[in-house]
Structure formats: C-alpha cells, structure tokens
Amino acid sequence: MNAMASPSPNPSQGRPLLMLDADGPLNPYEAMPDHRPDGYREHFLMPPSWAAQEEIRIAASPRVREPRPLPVWLNPGHGARLLSLPFQLIWATTWEAEANEFISPLLGLPDLPYVAWETPRPVQRGRGCWKTSEIVAWAAGRPFAWVDDEITRADRDWVARHHAGPALLHRVDAESGLGADDFASLSAWAAELG
Ligand SMILES: [Mg+2]
C-alpha cells in the first residue's frame, strides 16, 4: 500500500506535496464529447488497464470485436505550469504508474512518484472520496495540496481531523480542467506556507 516509485533523489523534496488527480483536473472528461475547452488536444490512449476493461467488454458482447482506445483531452501547457509551482508533484490518480507512461510525456512532465491505491479500493467513508484516507497516509504529516474533481466538504472535514499539517483541498471542475485561477490559488497557498 502507498508505494512510492521514486527512481532518484528529487530536488523538490522538502516542498509541500501536490497530490494531482488526472481525470478532471488535467483531462476535463465532463465536457466530452463536444465541448473541448480551448488549449486542449485530443488523444486516444490504450493503457494496459483500459485494454483489460475493453477485453471484458468484448467478451460480454458478441457485437463488439475491437478494443476502443480511451479518449483523453490534455492541455500541453499544463506540464510547464505545474513544474513552475513550488511543490513536489505526486500523481494521485487511478492511472497510477500508467500516468507516467501515458500522460506525463504528453505534458512534458518527468516521471513522478505516484500513490499506488490499495486493492480492492478502500470503502468510501460517508460521502467522502475513496482516495482521502490514502492521500493523508501518503502525506504522513507533510503539508500537501490535493487537486481533484471529487473533493467535497466531507473530505475537508476528514482531513482536518486526521492530518496534523497544513492541507489545501482544491476542487477543480471536470468540465473545464485546471485553469489560471487554480494555479493562482495553489501558488498563493504555497507562498503563505513560506
Ligand atoms: Mg478525477
């Protein structure tokens, strides 16, 4: 659980963590298929975990013969903007290691540490997101910002009770993805930490 894939010493260690979701903040899936925001490019990806789901779909339906690639919208400017933030970037997405293989190269991001979620997924507590307890465990008391489209008040309450350090839970709209206001909020929070 909570494995960390970090191939080499990272100069950004010591900064607050930025726990980064992919679907929603980087891939504004709720705008699909007809309302791609400005600046985003369309990609059709076939990560192994998606291919496995497609095999199940094909096996279940005699009318489906070919696996469909996964449509993903990404803004190529997001990599540089994320790297310019005073954070250590951590993938906190169901893509896990596949984020490094399939998303990072399209954004110009290096391989990042990632949260390897428990299997099976933790049971959702109340109305909170299923990721919350593992993100807090991964941060292990370090200051962190968490950027995700599924953050609710229940998660803020849970983090306040279970995480001793500073935390910013920043919800991003999955129709629009990360925007200038979101980057400004993250920068301002990190600056306040000092
Ligand atoms: Mg998401």
Side-chain angles (χ1 to χ4, degrees):
M1 62 175 280
N2 299 324
M4 176 170 165
S6 186
S8 59
N10 188 326
S12 65
Q13 275 170 10
R15 296 176 170 189
L17 308 175
L18 177 51
M19 313 298 289
L20 182 60
D21 182 27
D23 292 317
L26 298 178
N27 172 31
Y29 63 91
E30 281 191 0
M32 289 183 179
D34 299 324
H35 300 285
R36 176 149 43 115
D38 287 346
Y40 284 78
R41 295 180 189 165
E42 187 164 53
H43 305 277
F44 292 94
L45 306 180
M46 188 66 85
S49 62
W50 177 258
Q53 286 183 49
E54 284 295 286
E55 289 305 319
I56 292 168
R57 195 173 67 89
I58 289 166
S61 170
R63 283 176 300 171
V64 182
R65 294 172 194 279
E66 291 289 320
R68 289 174 314 188
L70 174 65
V72 176
W73 289 349
L74 295 170
N75 184 327
H78 276 168
R81 296 205 69 176
L82 286 165
L83 289 171
S84 74
L85 293 172
F87 287 88
Q88 183 188 0
L89 303 178
I90 313 288
W91 286 121
T93 163
T94 54
W95 288 71
E96 299 185 320
E98 291 175 342
N100 281 330
E101 189 176 347
F102 291 88
I103 297 177
S104 289
L106 296 170
L107 296 180
L109 288 171
D111 269 14
L112 300 176
Y114 61 91
V115 181
W117 310 107
E118 282 190 48
T119 308
R121 296 263 172 82
V123 176
Q124 195 177 24
R125 310 162 327 282
R127 289 166 299 175
C129 177
W130 61 271
K131 293 177 178 175
T132 312
S133 60
E134 288 197 65
I135 283 177
V136 167
W138 210 98
R142 287 171 289 181
F144 74 89
W146 173 24
V147 172
D148 201 297
D149 58 305
E150 294 186 50
I151 290 168
T152 65
R153 183 173 174 178
D155 301 302
R156 298 181 209 285
D157 291 347
W158 200 89
V159 170
R161 288 199 306 274
H162 293 90
H163 177 70
L168 172 69
L169 271 61
H170 186 82
R171 186 183 170 278
V172 172
D173 191 328
E175 271 190 53
S176 52
L178 272 170
D181 290 353
D182 301 304
F183 285 103
S185 297
L186 290 164
S187 293
W189 183 79
E192 236 175 74
L193 275 184

